[in-house]
PDB file of all heavy atoms in Angstrom:
ATOM      1  N   VAL A  85      29.166  27.156   4.230  1.00 97.00           N
ATOM      2  CA  VAL A  85      28.424  27.798   5.335  1.00 97.00           C
ATOM      3  C   VAL A  85      28.312  26.845   6.519  1.00 97.00           C
ATOM      4  O   VAL A  85      28.454  27.207   7.678  1.00 97.00           O
ATOM      5  CB  VAL A  85      27.031  28.244   4.839  1.00 97.00           C
ATOM      6  CG1 VAL A  85      26.205  28.825   5.983  1.00 97.00           C
ATOM      7  CG2 VAL A  85      27.170  29.244   3.699  1.00 97.00           C
ATOM      8  N   MET A  86      27.999  25.579   6.190  1.00 96.00           N
ATOM      9  CA  MET A  86      27.907  24.572   7.281  1.00 96.00           C
ATOM     10  C   MET A  86      29.198  24.426   8.049  1.00 96.00           C
ATOM     11  O   MET A  86      29.227  24.407   9.292  1.00 96.00           O
ATOM     12  CB  MET A  86      27.537  23.212   6.681  1.00 96.00           C
ATOM     13  CG  MET A  86      26.064  22.929   6.578  1.00 96.00           C
ATOM     14  SD  MET A  86      25.730  21.193   6.231  1.00 96.00           S
ATOM     15  CE  MET A  86      26.524  20.963   4.667  1.00 96.00           C
ATOM     16  N   GLN A  89      29.893  27.349  10.371  1.00 96.00           N
ATOM     17  CA  GLN A  89      29.064  27.312  11.571  1.00 96.00           C
ATOM     18  C   GLN A  89      29.619  26.301  12.553  1.00 96.00           C
ATOM     19  O   GLN A  89      29.654  26.531  13.789  1.00 96.00           O
ATOM     20  CB  GLN A  89      27.622  26.937  11.184  1.00 96.00           C
ATOM     21  CG  GLN A  89      26.742  26.449  12.332  1.00 96.00           C
ATOM     22  CD  GLN A  89      26.456  27.555  13.360  1.00 96.00           C
ATOM     23  OE1 GLN A  89      26.681  28.734  13.120  1.00 96.00           O
ATOM     24  NE2 GLN A  89      26.007  27.132  14.541  1.00 96.00           N
ATOM     25  N   PRO A  93      30.729  28.537  15.847  1.00 95.00           N
ATOM     26  CA  PRO A  93      29.268  28.639  15.972  1.00 95.00           C
ATOM     27  C   PRO A  93      28.806  30.016  16.415  1.00 95.00           C
ATOM     28  O   PRO A  93      29.418  30.656  17.286  1.00 95.00           O
ATOM     29  CB  PRO A  93      28.937  27.595  17.041  1.00 95.00           C
ATOM     30  CG  PRO A  93      30.121  26.673  17.060  1.00 95.00           C
ATOM     31  CD  PRO A  93      31.300  27.504  16.693  1.00 95.00           C
ATOM     32  N   GLY A  94      27.740  30.483  15.818  1.00 91.00           N
ATOM     33  CA  GLY A  94      27.123  31.724  16.243  1.00 91.00           C
ATOM     34  C   GLY A  94      27.739  32.966  15.614  1.00 91.00           C
ATOM     35  O   GLY A  94      27.184  34.093  15.774  1.00 91.00           O
ATOM     36  N   SER A  95      28.838  32.840  14.886  1.00 94.00           N
ATOM     37  CA  SER A  95      29.445  34.008  14.244  1.00 94.00           C
ATOM     38  C   SER A  95      28.803  34.243  12.879  1.00 94.00           C
ATOM     39  O   SER A  95      28.105  33.390  12.332  1.00 94.00           O
ATOM     40  CB  SER A  95      30.959  33.809  14.079  1.00 94.00           C
ATOM     41  OG  SER A  95      31.214  32.680  13.265  1.00 94.00           O
ATOM     42  N   ASP A  96      29.033  35.466  12.355  1.00 94.00           N
ATOM     43  CA  ASP A  96      28.501  35.792  11.014  1.00 94.00           C
ATOM     44  C   ASP A  96      29.242  35.004   9.946  1.00 94.00           C
ATOM     45  O   ASP A  96      30.469  35.049   9.878  1.00 94.00           O
ATOM     46  CB  ASP A  96      28.666  37.282  10.743  1.00 94.00           C
ATOM     47  CG  ASP A  96      27.527  38.083  11.353  1.00 94.00           C
ATOM     48  OD1 ASP A  96      26.433  37.528  11.538  1.00 94.00           O
ATOM     49  OD2 ASP A  96      27.765  39.256  11.707  1.00 94.00           O
ATOM     50  N   VAL A  97      28.485  34.320   9.117  1.00 94.00           N
ATOM     51  CA  VAL A  97      29.096  33.602   7.990  1.00 94.00           C
ATOM     52  C   VAL A  97      29.094  34.511   6.773  1.00 94.00           C
ATOM     53  O   VAL A  97      28.008  35.016   6.391  1.00 94.00           O
ATOM     54  CB  VAL A  97      28.325  32.315   7.665  1.00 94.00           C
ATOM     55  CG1 VAL A  97      28.983  31.552   6.522  1.00 94.00           C
ATOM     56  CG2 VAL A  97      28.216  31.433   8.902  1.00 94.00           C
ATOM     57  N   TRP A 100      26.095  34.856   4.187  1.00 91.00           N
ATOM     58  CA  TRP A 100      24.908  34.212   4.717  1.00 91.00           C
ATOM     59  C   TRP A 100      24.395  34.913   5.975  1.00 91.00           C
ATOM     60  O   TRP A 100      23.216  35.173   6.124  1.00 91.00           O
ATOM     61  CB  TRP A 100      25.220  32.739   5.025  1.00 91.00           C
ATOM     62  CG  TRP A 100      24.027  31.966   5.490  1.00 91.00           C
ATOM     63  CD1 TRP A 100      23.455  31.955   6.753  1.00 91.00           C
ATOM     64  CD2 TRP A 100      23.190  31.109   4.701  1.00 91.00           C
ATOM     65  NE1 TRP A 100      22.371  31.127   6.786  1.00 91.00           N
ATOM     66  CE2 TRP A 100      22.170  30.591   5.527  1.00 91.00           C
ATOM     67  CE3 TRP A 100      23.232  30.723   3.337  1.00 91.00           C
ATOM     68  CZ2 TRP A 100      21.205  29.709   5.052  1.00 91.00           C
ATOM     69  CZ3 TRP A 100      22.281  29.824   2.895  1.00 91.00           C
ATOM     70  CH2 TRP A 100      21.264  29.337   3.755  1.00 91.00           C
ATOM     71  N   GLY A 101      25.267  35.226   6.918  1.00 91.00           N
ATOM     72  CA  GLY A 101      24.849  35.792   8.219  1.00 91.00           C
ATOM     73  C   GLY A 101      24.935  34.737   9.316  1.00 91.00           C
ATOM     74  O   GLY A 101      25.596  33.691   9.131  1.00 91.00           O
ATOM     75  N   VAL A 102      24.258  34.953  10.407  1.00 92.00           N
ATOM     76  CA  VAL A 102      24.274  34.000  11.513  1.00 92.00           C
ATOM     77  C   VAL A 102      23.440  32.794  11.144  1.00 92.00           C
ATOM     78  O   VAL A 102      22.308  32.930  10.632  1.00 92.00           O
ATOM     79  CB  VAL A 102      23.734  34.651  12.806  1.00 92.00           C
ATOM     80  CG1 VAL A 102      23.651  33.621  13.939  1.00 92.00           C
ATOM     81  CG2 VAL A 102      24.618  35.813  13.215  1.00 92.00           C
ATOM     82  N   VAL A 103      23.956  31.583  11.423  1.00 93.00           N
ATOM     83  CA  VAL A 103      23.235  30.361  11.125  1.00 93.00           C
ATOM     84  C   VAL A 103      22.611  29.813  12.409  1.00 93.00           C
ATOM     85  O   VAL A 103      23.323  29.368  13.310  1.00 93.00           O
ATOM     86  CB  VAL A 103      24.188  29.310  10.520  1.00 93.00           C
ATOM     87  CG1 VAL A 103      23.439  28.003  10.245  1.00 93.00           C
ATOM     88  CG2 VAL A 103      24.833  29.835   9.246  1.00 93.00           C
ATOM     89  N   GLY A 104      21.288  29.848  12.479  1.00 90.00           N
ATOM     90  CA  GLY A 104      20.603  29.238  13.623  1.00 90.00           C
ATOM     91  C   GLY A 104      20.347  27.766  13.367  1.00 90.00           C
ATOM     92  O   GLY A 104      20.625  27.230  12.286  1.00 90.00           O
ATOM     93  N   PRO A 105      19.802  27.051  14.358  1.00 91.00           N
ATOM     94  CA  PRO A 105      19.530  25.621  14.193  1.00 91.00           C
ATOM     95  C   PRO A 105      18.590  25.318  13.027  1.00 91.00           C
ATOM     96  O   PRO A 105      18.800  24.334  12.311  1.00 91.00           O
ATOM     97  CB  PRO A 105      18.879  25.229  15.523  1.00 91.00           C
ATOM     98  CG  PRO A 105      19.370  26.258  16.507  1.00 91.00           C
ATOM     99  CD  PRO A 105      19.514  27.534  15.733  1.00 91.00           C
ATOM    100  N   ALA A 106      17.544  26.156  12.825  1.00 92.00           N
ATOM    101  CA  ALA A 106      16.604  25.870  11.722  1.00 92.00           C
ATOM    102  C   ALA A 106      17.325  26.034  10.372  1.00 92.00           C
ATOM    103  O   ALA A 106      17.155  25.217   9.462  1.00 92.00           O
ATOM    104  CB  ALA A 106      15.421  26.842  11.817  1.00 92.00           C
ATOM    105  N   ALA A 107      18.113  27.118  10.274  1.00 94.00           N
ATOM    106  CA  ALA A 107      18.838  27.323   9.005  1.00 94.00           C
ATOM    107  C   ALA A 107      19.858  26.210   8.778  1.00 94.00           C
ATOM    108  O   ALA A 107      20.097  25.785   7.631  1.00 94.00           O
ATOM    109  CB  ALA A 107      19.548  28.687   9.028  1.00 94.00           C
ATOM    110  N   TYR A 108      20.467  25.722   9.878  1.00 95.00           N
ATOM    111  CA  TYR A 108      21.428  24.631   9.714  1.00 95.00           C
ATOM    112  C   TYR A 108      20.739  23.368   9.160  1.00 95.00           C
ATOM    113  O   TYR A 108      21.329  22.672   8.301  1.00 95.00           O
ATOM    114  CB  TYR A 108      22.093  24.307  11.064  1.00 95.00           C
ATOM    115  CG  TYR A 108      23.230  23.364  10.923  1.00 95.00           C
ATOM    116  CD1 TYR A 108      24.506  23.816  10.564  1.00 95.00           C
ATOM    117  CD2 TYR A 108      23.052  21.989  11.137  1.00 95.00           C
ATOM    118  CE1 TYR A 108      25.559  22.931  10.425  1.00 95.00           C
ATOM    119  CE2 TYR A 108      24.098  21.089  10.990  1.00 95.00           C
ATOM    120  CZ  TYR A 108      25.355  21.576  10.644  1.00 95.00           C
ATOM    121  OH  TYR A 108      26.397  20.697  10.480  1.00 95.00           O
ATOM    122  N   ASN A 109      19.523  23.096   9.606  1.00 94.00           N
ATOM    123  CA  ASN A 109      18.789  21.972   9.057  1.00 94.00           C
ATOM    124  C   ASN A 109      18.523  22.135   7.552  1.00 94.00           C
ATOM    125  O   ASN A 109      18.547  21.175   6.789  1.00 94.00           O
ATOM    126  CB  ASN A 109      17.459  21.785   9.801  1.00 94.00           C
ATOM    127  CG  ASN A 109      17.656  21.164  11.173  1.00 94.00           C
ATOM    128  OD1 ASN A 109      18.662  20.491  11.420  1.00 94.00           O
ATOM    129  ND2 ASN A 109      16.735  21.426  12.086  1.00 94.00           N
ATOM    130  N   VAL A 110      18.260  23.378   7.134  1.00 95.00           N
ATOM    131  CA  VAL A 110      18.100  23.641   5.703  1.00 95.00           C
ATOM    132  C   VAL A 110      19.395  23.339   4.962  1.00 95.00           C
ATOM    133  O   VAL A 110      19.398  22.690   3.901  1.00 95.00           O
ATOM    134  CB  VAL A 110      17.674  25.111   5.476  1.00 95.00           C
ATOM    135  CG1 VAL A 110      17.713  25.451   3.983  1.00 95.00           C
ATOM    136  CG2 VAL A 110      16.288  25.355   6.036  1.00 95.00           C
ATOM    137  N   LEU A 111      20.510  23.799   5.550  1.00 96.00           N
ATOM    138  CA  LEU A 111      21.809  23.591   4.903  1.00 96.00           C
ATOM    139  C   LEU A 111      22.110  22.095   4.717  1.00 96.00           C
ATOM    140  O   LEU A 111      22.547  21.661   3.641  1.00 96.00           O
ATOM    141  CB  LEU A 111      22.924  24.257   5.707  1.00 96.00           C
ATOM    142  CG  LEU A 111      22.890  25.785   5.801  1.00 96.00           C
ATOM    143  CD1 LEU A 111      23.901  26.273   6.806  1.00 96.00           C
ATOM    144  CD2 LEU A 111      23.161  26.389   4.429  1.00 96.00           C
ATOM    145  N   VAL A 112      21.875  21.341   5.793  1.00 95.00           N
ATOM    146  CA  VAL A 112      22.164  19.903   5.723  1.00 95.00           C
ATOM    147  C   VAL A 112      21.292  19.232   4.666  1.00 95.00           C
ATOM    148  O   VAL A 112      21.743  18.447   3.845  1.00 95.00           O
ATOM    149  CB  VAL A 112      21.928  19.246   7.113  1.00 95.00           C
ATOM    150  CG1 VAL A 112      21.985  17.738   7.005  1.00 95.00           C
ATOM    151  CG2 VAL A 112      22.960  19.760   8.109  1.00 95.00           C
ATOM    152  N   SER A 178      13.824  21.202   5.213  1.00 94.00           N
ATOM    153  CA  SER A 178      14.768  21.116   6.320  1.00 94.00           C
ATOM    154  C   SER A 178      14.585  19.834   7.115  1.00 94.00           C
ATOM    155  O   SER A 178      14.915  19.788   8.305  1.00 94.00           O
ATOM    156  CB  SER A 178      14.601  22.326   7.235  1.00 94.00           C
ATOM    157  OG  SER A 178      13.270  22.450   7.678  1.00 94.00           O
ATOM    158  N   ARG A 495      23.721  16.064  12.666  1.00 86.00           N
ATOM    159  CA  ARG A 495      22.703  17.106  12.692  1.00 86.00           C
ATOM    160  C   ARG A 495      22.988  18.120  13.795  1.00 86.00           C
ATOM    161  O   ARG A 495      22.134  18.935  14.100  1.00 86.00           O
ATOM    162  CB  ARG A 495      21.334  16.489  12.894  1.00 86.00           C
ATOM    163  CG  ARG A 495      20.957  15.453  11.844  1.00 86.00           C
ATOM    164  CD  ARG A 495      20.676  16.080  10.495  1.00 86.00           C
ATOM    165  NE  ARG A 495      20.661  15.098   9.423  1.00 86.00           N
ATOM    166  CZ  ARG A 495      19.641  14.303   9.146  1.00 86.00           C
ATOM    167  NH1 ARG A 495      18.558  14.372   9.885  1.00 86.00           N
ATOM    168  NH2 ARG A 495      19.725  13.437   8.168  1.00 86.00           N
ATOM    169  N   THR A 496      24.177  18.090  14.395  1.00 91.00           N
ATOM    170  CA  THR A 496      24.511  19.023  15.455  1.00 91.00           C
ATOM    171  C   THR A 496      24.887  20.367  14.844  1.00 91.00           C
ATOM    172  O   THR A 496      25.915  20.452  14.126  1.00 91.00           O
ATOM    173  CB  THR A 496      25.682  18.496  16.290  1.00 91.00           C
ATOM    174  OG1 THR A 496      25.336  17.233  16.853  1.00 91.00           O
ATOM    175  CG2 THR A 496      26.048  19.455  17.412  1.00 91.00           C
ATOM    176  N   ALA A 497      24.114  21.409  15.158  1.00 93.00           N
ATOM    177  CA  ALA A 497      24.417  22.728  14.595  1.00 93.00           C
ATOM    178  C   ALA A 497      25.468  23.480  15.424  1.00 93.00           C
ATOM    179  O   ALA A 497      26.180  24.319  14.901  1.00 93.00           O
ATOM    180  CB  ALA A 497      23.136  23.546  14.507  1.00 93.00           C
ATOM    181  N   ASP A 498      25.550  23.159  16.706  1.00 93.00           N
ATOM    182  CA  ASP A 498      26.503  23.840  17.603  1.00 93.00           C
ATOM    183  C   ASP A 498      27.071  22.838  18.558  1.00 93.00           C
ATOM    184  O   ASP A 498      26.380  22.397  19.519  1.00 93.00           O
ATOM    185  CB  ASP A 498      25.776  24.977  18.358  1.00 93.00           C
ATOM    186  CG  ASP A 498      26.749  25.777  19.239  1.00 93.00           C
ATOM    187  OD1 ASP A 498      27.920  25.382  19.327  1.00 93.00           O
ATOM    188  OD2 ASP A 498      26.308  26.785  19.810  1.00 93.00           O
ATOM    189  N   ARG A 500      29.246  23.177  20.882  1.00 91.00           N
ATOM    190  CA  ARG A 500      29.814  23.700  22.110  1.00 91.00           C
ATOM    191  C   ARG A 500      29.116  23.213  23.388  1.00 91.00           C
ATOM    192  O   ARG A 500      29.795  22.993  24.416  1.00 91.00           O
ATOM    193  CB  ARG A 500      29.787  25.235  22.077  1.00 91.00           C
ATOM    194  CG  ARG A 500      30.748  25.839  21.093  1.00 91.00           C
ATOM    195  CD  ARG A 500      30.588  27.350  21.019  1.00 91.00           C
ATOM    196  NE  ARG A 500      29.204  27.702  20.655  1.00 91.00           N
ATOM    197  CZ  ARG A 500      28.773  28.951  20.546  1.00 91.00           C
ATOM    198  NH1 ARG A 500      29.585  29.956  20.768  1.00 91.00           N
ATOM    199  NH2 ARG A 500      27.527  29.198  20.195  1.00 91.00           N
TER     200      ARG A 500
END
Side-chain angles (χ1 to χ4, degrees):
V85 176
M86 269 194 299
Q89 163 66 15
S95 61
D96 277 333
V97 181
W100 184 280
V102 176
V103 178
Y108 189 82
N109 285 336
V110 171
L111 294 171
V112 170
S178 55
R495 303 288 166 79
T496 302
D498 184 354
R500 291 175 302 179

